[in-house]
Amino acid sequence: MTPLPSSPAEELALLERELIWLDTRRVQLLRRRSWLKAALRAQSAGGWQPPHGGQPPQGAPGGWAHAPAAHPAPAVPTGSATGGPGAQHVLLILGGLLLAVAAIAFTLFSWGELGIAGRSVVLAGVTAGALGAPVLLLRRGLGATAESVGAVALLLTVLDAYALHAAVLPEADGAGYAAFASGVLAAGWAAYGVGVGRLRLPLPAAVVAGQFPLVLGAWAAGGSALVIGWALLVTAAGSVVVAARVPGLAVRATAWSGAGVTWAGGLLIGLGESVSASGPLDAAAPGVLLLGAAAVALAAAWRAPQEMAVTGGVVAGLAAVAGVGGVLRTEVPWSWAVVVYLVCGAALAPVARIAVVPRPVRGGVLGAAAGVTGVAVLAVLPSAAATLLGPAAVLTGLWAGAPDGTRELAAGAGAWPDALSVPVVLLVAAVLLGAVYASLVHEGREPAGWTGAAGAGAVGLVSAAVPVLLVSADVAYAAALVVDLLLVAGLLAAAVAVRRVPAAAGATALWCAVAVAAHVGLLALAAEPATYAVFGLLLVLFAASAARSREVVARSLTLVLSVVCALVVASAAGASLELGAPRTAVLVLVVPAAVVVLGLWVRTPAVVVPLEAGAGFAALVALGLAVTDGAYLSLVLALCGVLAAATAVRPERRPGAGYLAAGLFATATWVRLVSAGVTHPEAYTLPVSVIACAVGLLRRRTDPEASSWAAYGPGLGVTLGPSLLALWSDPHWQRPLLLGAAALAVTVTGAVRRLQAPLLLGGGTLALVALHELAPHVAQVFDALPRWSVPALAGLLLLALGATYEQRLRDARRLREHLGRMR
């Protein structure tokens, strides 16, 4: 059972759907009626036979299930003398088309050969015959044929109008006569369609013809663009009335289409005139035209189905904003025009509280307000982004001195906007989104989906508007830093208050806090005291947020940012003490050292992992600072090894941190030897290797499960690595011989004792020594060979590997398994 409508708007929509269904049902019944008449004529002509399949023609109604099965509906026999209705229709349609072609040819080429009387007789006879023929055809049940002949008749009336102008009224203005003729044709076709009643084409054709009289008349009268625009709007309004009141699906569809086209034409004319207006008086007339377009769209949406009503509400709202905003923006500079249109769009919001307006129309008008807001934000977004990134120019002149205002810093990059319009747009849009969020929450909506998106958008726009406003207004440097820091604190507080803030708004607040912190950090780099104050406070804020946060992402991000802020403070301390980059690197290592100590104390994986990530980044920064001084680089590497060894105290970090510590110690030794200009590093490394290998041997005896990499890897690497580096610059034969022999001994020992580290380290060293010794001879061989031999040999090698691919793969698996069984 269909539920009773709860409002006049819903009842109206229900009636519209019922009327559309009745129009469709009427078409089906008419087709069934024509089919039954044809069947009866065939029966009276000599009996009928059931057609193949025993089914009524396509388009017959399906509601005949109650008819007895023993008496199927009669059908026209396919082999009757009269032929099927389909054949008759095709023949008559073809005849009508040929008649239309003949009429066109006669009108164009033979009209002038007749006198006035002959022309009148031909004109009256042919037109009367063509218009009267469909009536007779409908009486005989030939509906499709009547439609075809009716179409030809309508075409003949158009040709008659053309012939009348060409022969009788040649001096008449073309546009004016076309306006008059289209009006007469529209009225005549409408009367003809209503009089005949059963033809479907005349009434839609009358609607199409009715779109031209006013427009062509305005054009013929030399009207301005606004006059033509009003003619288009009046025509659109008439089409809306026809669509709302005249029954018939074809008529309504044609009227809606014509209304959309003419309304769009009037709207475009109004927009063009409004944009080009130079003053309020010039913009008033286009504004009134746009408001008229809004009224027509609103009237159409009021009576339209739901989908069309939403669309009508959207275009009505946009037209109203364009009309009113086009007048107001002429009184302000172009930089404030966006603000004017945004305020006009915001004025549409109260429509949501007007209960008399249908719900779909209200939704469309609110959609127009949202669209205007979105376009306004997008229009100022590039300027806002440039303003936020403008202080990056400070990086080219750190600690150049505190400026008088923040605009001076942004102006260095040419980023700040010309006026306060950008932050005003952002703030107004934020207020609108906040009002939407509050309204939805007040209605009982859950703070998710569109509600959460509105809250998140408001937070993001406020976060961008405040720094941009400070720069645009050229606020004092210290005041801007304080306000930005307070904004960061507020955003972090909102981000960690997950129980009182929607998830989307909390995540947006977190990332906005990061962005604003980056902005204020760049501003702070302009002065030395500001750098310490700002980054120190940011360190405290991020650390406090990490301590209070319950979300994994928020806690991890704030912990990493805390380490980064501490890193900036340490680097600034080195710059203040004028230590230089290499010495500052040692000072920077205080940050990862503090993180390692904190990790030993906390031991919570969710906290330790982001802290270690920040410590690793700080260590990389320290290495980058010390890379220009070999001695300090060696010291930094050794200190990093100490920190890694301290991290290895924790059982869960022991394997990875232990290997890292060993590698760092070995690398520090190599770097120190190279920086000291030592040409015979073995004198320094061999004692260390012997001691380290002896310690590893003792460990293996006490702990047979210990890995050979932990026991012998550091000791072997301390000597083999520096010796290999010295090998490539040594022209003598003694070092290659001794190093190769030692590497061979280590390799054999690893193979015999089934130790992975000696086997791989010794084998790799032996291979590199062999490559060093054979490199000159290989180069001579390649110089002697022709150029085509190298790709040929490479191709043969690839073919051999491809042919034995499976065997090589099995060999590789066995080698990997064998190495895996070693300690």
Side-chain angles (χ1 to χ4, degrees):
M1 180 180 295
T2 304
L4 294 176
S6 59
S7 66
E10 294 182 358
E11 183 178 0
L12 179 61
L14 179 63
L15 290 177
E16 293 289 344
R17 289 193 295 269
E18 292 292 338
L19 289 173
I20 292 174
W21 183 86
L22 288 175
D23 291 338
T24 306
R25 185 64 173 171
R26 181 175 181 274
V27 172
Q28 293 177 343
L29 292 176
L30 288 175
R31 291 180 179 177
R32 179 68 176 179
R33 179 173 175 270
S34 300
W35 183 79
L36 290 174
K37 285 185 176 182
L40 289 175
R41 286 195 301 272
Q43 183 178 6
S44 62
W48 61 274
Q49 298 295 329
H52 298 292
Q55 298 295 330
Q58 184 71 21
W64 309 101
H66 61 276
H71 300 282
V76 180
T78 57
S80 63
T82 58
Q88 290 180 349
H89 294 170
V90 171
L91 292 175
L92 290 173
I93 289 172
L94 290 176
L97 292 176
L98 292 175
L99 180 60
V101 172
I104 293 173
F106 172 77
T107 303
L108 295 178
F109 303 109
S110 300
W111 179 260
E113 298 177 2
L114 299 176
I116 297 298
R119 297 174 187 175
S120 302
V121 171
V122 172
L123 181 64
V126 173
T127 303
L131 293 175
V135 179
L136 300 177
L137 292 172
L138 287 173
R139 291 177 181 176
R140 295 181 57 85
L142 300 176
T145 307
E147 293 287 352
S148 302
V149 176
V152 174
L154 298 181
L155 176 62
L156 287 175
T157 56
V158 176
L159 295 176
D160 292 342
Y162 167 76
L164 184 62
H165 176 265
V168 180
L169 303 171
E171 296 84 7
D173 178 64
Y177 180 80
F180 173 78
S182 59
V184 173
L185 289 176
W189 290 349
Y192 180 67
V194 172
V196 176
R198 289 164 57 187
L199 289 179
R200 290 173 291 178
L201 186 60
L203 290 179
V207 173
V208 173
Q211 309 300 313
F212 299 101
L214 290 179
V215 179
L216 294 176
W219 185 17
S224 63
L226 290 177
V227 173
I228 296 176
W230 277 111
L232 289 169
L233 282 186
V234 173
T235 303
S239 299
V240 170
V241 173
V242 171
R245 297 186 176 276
V246 177
L249 181 61
V251 176
R252 291 185 175 184
T254 306
W256 282 123
S257 301
V261 173
T262 52
W263 182 89
L267 178 69
L268 291 176
I269 291 175
L271 287 175
E273 294 294 321
S274 177
V275 170
S276 61
S278 58
L281 294 179
D282 294 337
V288 175
L289 177 62
L290 291 172
L291 290 178
V296 172
L298 191 62
W302 208 284
R303 301 291 301 274
Q306 181 174 357
E307 294 78 8
M308 295 181 63
V310 173
T311 305
V314 170
V315 297
L318 294 177
V321 169
V324 177
V327 176
L328 298 179
R329 63 93 187 159
T330 58
E331 294 295 325
V332 298
W334 269 107
S335 58
W336 287 90
V338 178
V339 180
V340 171
Y341 285 109
L342 177 60
V343 173
C344 293
L348 298 176
V351 176
R353 300 296 181 183
I354 304 177
V356 70
V357 180
R359 182 182 295 272
V361 179
R362 279 183 283 166
V365 174
L366 291 180
V372 172
T373 304
V375 172
V377 172
L378 290 177
V380 302
L381 200 58
S383 297
T387 304
L388 292 174
L389 297 176
V394 176
L395 297 175
T396 59
L398 296 176
W399 292 356
D404 295 331
T406 54
R407 179 178 291 185
E408 181 179 342
L409 297 177
W416 56 273
D418 295 335
L420 297 175
S421 59
V422 174
V424 169
V425 169
L426 295 177
L427 288 174
V428 172
V431 170
L432 292 177
L433 287 178
V436 171
Y437 173 78
S439 176
L440 293 176
V441 172
H442 181 71
E443 293 177 0
R445 301 282 187 91
E446 292 293 330
W450 289 109
T451 306
V459 171
L461 290 174
V462 169
S463 304
V466 172
V468 174
L469 178 62
L470 296 175
V471 176
S472 302
D474 199 17
V475 177
Y477 180 67
L481 294 180
V482 171
V483 174
D484 284 336
L485 286 173
L486 291 176
L487 178 60
V488 173
L491 291 172
L492 289 176
V496 300
V498 293
R499 296 184 179 180
R500 298 182 296 275
V501 177
T508 304
L510 175 63
W511 291 105
C512 289
V514 175
V516 177
H519 173 75
V520 69
L522 291 174
L523 289 176
L525 293 177
E528 182 177 358
T531 301
Y532 288 107
V534 169
F535 282 97
L537 289 174
L538 288 177
L539 171 60
V540 174
L541 290 175
F542 285 127
S545 300
R548 292 176 55 86
S549 178
R550 298 294 181 267
E551 294 290 333
V552 177
V553 175
R555 182 170 56 243
S556 301
L557 182 61
T558 50
L559 284 173
V560 172
L561 291 175
S562 301
V563 176
V564 172
C565 291
L567 177 63
V568 174
V569 173
S571 302
S576 298
L577 297 174
E578 298 181 355
L579 299 178
R583 294 183 180 182
T584 303
V586 180
L587 185 59
V588 166
L589 287 179
V590 174
V591 176
V595 172
V596 169
V597 174
L598 185 61
L600 293 175
W601 176 53
V602 177
R603 300 238 175 168
T604 303
V607 177
V608 172
V609 172
L611 283 176
E612 289 178 346
F617 176 73
L620 291 176
V621 172
L623 291 173
L625 292 172
V627 74
T628 58
D629 192 311
Y632 278 98
L633 179 59
S634 174
L635 177 60
V636 170
L637 286 170
L639 292 176
C640 290
V642 172
L643 296 178
T647 305
V649 172
R650 303 205 311 271
E652 69 275 8
R653 292 288 186 268
R654 185 163 298 162
Y659 293 143
L660 179 61
L664 288 172
F665 284 136
T667 306
T669 303
W670 301 344
V671 171
R672 181 58 182 168
L673 293 175
V674 172
S675 64
V678 175
T679 58
H680 296 84
E682 292 82 5
Y684 300 91
T685 59
L686 273 177
V688 178
S689 294
V690 172
I691 296 173
C693 290
V695 173
L697 180 61
L698 292 176
R699 181 181 178 185
R700 288 274 298 175
R701 287 183 177 180
T702 58
D703 183 13
E705 297 298 325
S707 171
S708 62
W709 288 99
Y712 305 115
L716 294 174
V718 166
T719 296
L720 294 178
S723 297
L724 275 175
L725 293 176
L727 174 68
W728 292 96
S729 60
D730 190 350
H732 305 290
W733 57 271
Q734 290 88 352
R735 177 175 276 117
L737 178 60
L738 294 175
L739 182 58
L744 179 61
V746 171
T747 304
V748 173
T749 302
V752 173
R753 305 288 296 181
R754 301 180 62 81
L755 298 175
Q756 190 179 101
L759 177 62
L760 294 180
L761 290 176
T765 303
L766 185 61
L768 291 175
V769 171
L771 179 62
H772 174 268
E773 293 301 307
L774 293 176
H777 305 287
V778 173
Q780 292 178 1
V781 170
F782 275 101
D783 288 338
L785 290 176
R787 294 182 180 272
W788 55 265
S789 60
V790 177
L793 292 174
L796 292 174
L797 178 61
L798 291 177
L799 289 176
L801 290 176
T804 60
Y805 175 76
E806 296 295 335
Q807 181 62 36
R808 300 287 80 77
L809 191 61
R810 287 192 293 269
D811 294 342
R813 290 198 186 104
R814 283 197 294 269
L815 178 60
R816 184 182 63 185
E817 293 171 358
H818 181 67
L819 290 174
R821 287 193 294 269
M822 292 182 176
R823 297 299 303 169

